[in-house]
Amino acid sequence: MTALPNRHSRIVGILALLLVLAVPIATELDVRAATDLVAGGQAQVSDAQGDNVNLRAQPSYAGDVLASVSESSIVDVLDGPFTDDTDGTVWYQVDASGQPGYMLSDYLVNADAAVSPAAAATTTANVNLRSGAGTSFSVLLVIPNGATVNTTGSVQNGFTQLVYNGTTGWSASQYVSVTGGTTAAIVADGPLNLRSGPGTSFSVLALMPTGASLTITGALTSGFYPVNYNGTAGYAAAEFIQITSTQTAITTANLNLRSGAGTTFAVLLVIPIGATVIVTGVAQSGFYPVTYNGTSGFASASYLQIGSGPTPSPTPVDRTAWTTANLNMRSGASTSSSVLLVIPNGSQITVTGALTSGFYPVRYGSTNGYASSTYITFTSPGPTPVGGAIVWPVSGGAWEVIQGYNGSSHQNTSSTWQYLYSLDIARQDGQTAGIRAYAPVSGTISWYERSSGGITINMGNGYAVAMFHLTVDRGWEPGDAIQQGDFIGTISPEGGEGFVQVPHIHMTLWQTNDGGNWNRVAAPFTGQFTISGNDLPSNGTAYQWSGFEFEP
């Protein structure tokens, strides 16, 4: 959630772009945390879906960003709550590792209620086990990263009481992750040593033959799993273990599936709330290895509900999908049902329910019906480059430029307000909100901000492309490398991040020497910068290219 350092000047520009409309500022998540924090107490950064949270200079989105604080961090509460009169958001003054500032209450929970009681858990770092709930108490021992512990249910001052190898003490809650169970395994290539620690230098406790049954009791550490074999606890090399049983879990929020166990790893896709995933191993650094719709990755344990019994059926949720051929939409889940319309190949549709007799209930435009699952994919085809350095940031359907060059808000009015050659694009069927947006160029993300739904990609050749009115995926950070066609986020709906009048994407090209931060000169999409082969030069007329139609 890190924002651009020159946020204030851009905010002034964005307000002008909004044509002085009174548009409410969207919150960064819909979740609202409790506001029962007490000055002098502690809070835990929470409900951020694995992302960092901004610490600001004032209790407002307009405040400069002082630091970016990781989820699960413990902060000291200094004062509050404070309510921003402009948008009603609630803030607390906190101290994060010596840096005072203001943090949105949505992402703060009382530290004494942050860990579920009486549960198996895993440490996410080498952590001190102390004789009391505070850093002033003596250190009994150091628990290694990835060790399995048991919490007792007592939490005080941001510390959790737990038991490790028979010793009871207190550890900082931010380094304790509830794991939620064990995983069965067998020795795949034995005999295999059961060792006293995670490494070949540790003593051998037992020799386990091929096919021996094991129980994995914690997270992978230095290539070794903590296991239990015939009642003996120890460690075994992961490369010789085959996991034989898995668990299912349900997502409790829209959840990033990442390539590794941490927020620094790339986002492979977003798993919708209520979806069922397969948990394929134990938690690592607060992340479970999971598989969703055939894609394997890691997901934050905080947003996975793992049941001990039969998994309840989740409430059906809409899913975005695409057609892989011209596809009949029928009135029922059968080829004998009447055809309502034909959905073009490559169109984005919404799957509204579960598979029935090989047909999905779907919505295309404003029409609901059924379509064969054989010609539906949940993997976005992405935009296809067609010449030039830039492609359209959307895929499928019929689109139109709703405001072109030299429009009412597309003007150059200052050194940073450079929008003369901007294009506003939207779907012709009006179904623009929620459409996935992709990187139109390759380069490096210079900045993004929530209030405008804006993001800029520095192409590294003296030019940058900026887009606005998007709900940018929270996996992206300034400085990240991004490739043309990578998923960026979705087009914001009414009331969403940076929404203005109607859902659309504002797209502009800048000549720049600093990636589009302070130095900006508007440039038309022409020459080497055609969009998917569409040459759009400027002739100086008002609203030029408004009404231009294209099918990305």
Side-chain angles (χ1 to χ4, degrees):
M1 298 183 190
T2 308
L4 175 66
N6 58 333
R7 186 180 194 343
H8 286 305
S9 66
R10 291 206 317 280
I11 289 296
V12 173
I14 295 305
L15 290 177
L17 182 61
L18 299 184
L19 301 178
V20 201
L21 292 174
V23 178
I25 298 176
T27 57
E28 298 186 56
L29 279 178
D30 291 334
V31 176
R32 291 291 184 186
T35 55
D36 58 349
L37 307 181
V38 178
Q42 290 186 311
Q44 186 178 48
V45 179
S46 184
D47 294 323
Q49 292 187 307
D51 290 337
N52 291 350
V53 176
N54 285 335
L55 185 70
R56 297 185 180 274
Q58 294 87 31
S60 166
Y61 280 118
D64 291 333
V65 176
L66 304 175
S68 183
V69 184
S70 61
E71 186 172 19
S72 298
S73 296
I74 300 298
V75 296
D76 296 317
V77 180
L78 303 179
D79 201 359
F82 303 94
T83 301
D84 186 348
D85 292 337
T86 61
D87 57 17
T89 50
V90 179
W91 303 75
Y92 279 92
Q93 187 183 32
V94 301
D95 185 294
S97 301
Q99 173 64 64
Y102 294 87
M103 189 172 290
L104 192 66
S105 68
D106 298 45
Y107 305 108
L108 294 173
V109 295
N110 193 309
D112 290 349
V115 177
S116 301
T122 303
T123 55
T124 59
N126 294 332
V127 60
N128 292 328
L129 183 67
R130 295 182 179 271
S131 59
T135 56
S136 61
F137 291 89
S138 60
V139 177
L140 304 177
L141 54 86
V142 178
I143 307 174
N145 180 23
T148 299
V149 299
N150 290 299
T151 64
T152 67
S154 296
V155 181
Q156 298 178 19
N157 303 323
F159 280 73
T160 299
Q161 189 180 45
L162 50 85
V163 180
Y164 172 67
N165 282 354
T167 301
T168 302
W170 298 81
S171 293
S173 298
Q174 69 187 98
Y175 302 115
V176 178
S177 173
V178 176
T179 59
T182 57
T183 303
I186 61 170
V187 175
D189 186 11
L192 177 61
N193 291 327
L194 178 68
R195 296 184 178 271
S196 60
T200 55
S201 62
F202 290 89
S203 60
V204 176
L205 303 176
L207 198 62
M208 301 178 291
T210 298
S213 298
L214 312 175
T215 300
I216 298 177
T217 59
L220 188 68
T221 302
S222 302
F224 282 72
Y225 275 121
V227 300
N228 189 294
Y229 169 63
N230 286 348
T232 301
Y235 288 81
E239 62 182 304
F240 302 111
I241 292 176
Q242 177 182 342
I243 295 175
T244 60
S245 69
T246 59
Q247 295 174 294
T248 58
I250 295 176
T251 57
T252 60
N254 292 330
L255 181 58
N256 290 330
L257 182 66
R258 296 182 180 272
S259 60
T263 57
T264 59
F265 291 89
V267 176
L268 304 177
L269 53 84
V270 178
I271 309 172
I273 184 173
T276 298
V277 301
I278 299 173
V279 179
T280 58
V282 295
Q284 303 175 32
S285 303
F287 283 71
Y288 275 113
V290 302
T291 299
Y292 172 68
N293 278 357
T295 301
S296 296
F298 291 80
S300 173
S302 300
Y303 302 97
L304 292 174
Q305 177 183 328
I306 302 176
S308 56
T311 301
S313 297
T315 302
V317 293
D318 291 351
R319 290 184 289 168
T320 301
W322 290 263
T323 58
T324 60
N326 293 332
L327 181 58
N328 290 330
M329 177 190 283
R330 297 183 178 272
S331 60
S334 168
T335 54
S336 62
S337 299
S338 60
V339 176
L340 303 177
L341 54 83
V342 178
I343 308 172
N345 181 23
S347 295
Q348 181 171 304
I349 60 176
T350 300
V351 173
T352 58
L355 186 67
T356 303
S357 302
F359 283 74
Y360 277 117
V362 301
R363 181 173 61 249
Y364 176 65
S366 59
T367 304
N368 289 280
Y370 291 82
S372 171
S373 63
T374 304
Y375 304 103
I376 293 175
T377 179
F378 292 98
T379 301
S380 168
T384 302
V386 188
I390 305 175
V391 298
W392 293 112
V394 291
S395 178
W399 293 72
E400 183 178 349
V401 175
I402 60 175
Q403 183 184 177
Y405 299 165
N406 196 17
S408 58
S409 62
H410 293 176
Q411 299 293 324
N412 292 340
T413 60
S414 71
S415 60
T416 55
W417 186 262
Q418 291 282 311
Y419 297 109
L420 181 64
Y421 303 118
S422 298
L423 300 174
D424 288 347
I425 63 173
R427 281 180 65 111
Q428 289 183 320
D429 61 8
Q431 304 299 312
T432 307
I435 295 292
R436 294 166 67 91
Y438 306 91
V441 297
S442 297
T444 304
I445 295 176
S446 294
W447 55 261
Y448 72 83
E449 61 183 8
R450 298 298 175 201
S451 60
S452 67
I455 185 169
T456 291
I457 302 174
N458 179 15
M459 300 170 66
N461 59 356
Y463 287 84
V465 171
M467 295 189 294
F468 298 92
H469 319 312
L470 300 174
T471 301
V472 177
D473 183 87
R474 283 154 170 77
W476 293 113
E477 294 288 347
D480 285 352
I482 190 169
Q483 296 298 313
Q484 187 179 79
D486 282 351
F487 171 69
I488 289 181
T490 56
I491 301 176
S492 296
E494 183 174 1
E497 295 174 359
F499 175 81
V500 180
Q501 294 183 307
V502 296
H504 69 280
I505 294 179
H506 173 108
M507 186 175 179
T508 195
L509 174 67
W510 287 323
Q511 187 174 4
T512 177
N513 60 20
D514 65 359
N517 285 333
W518 294 100
N519 182 258
R520 306 168 180 174
V521 177
F525 293 97
T526 188
Q528 62 175 317
F529 300 117
T530 60
I531 306 179
S532 296
N534 295 286
D535 190 16
L536 306 173
S538 171
N539 61 14
T541 59
Y543 293 95
Q544 186 188 2
W545 299 113
S546 293
F548 177 78
E549 299 177 359
F550 60 96
E551 294 186 3

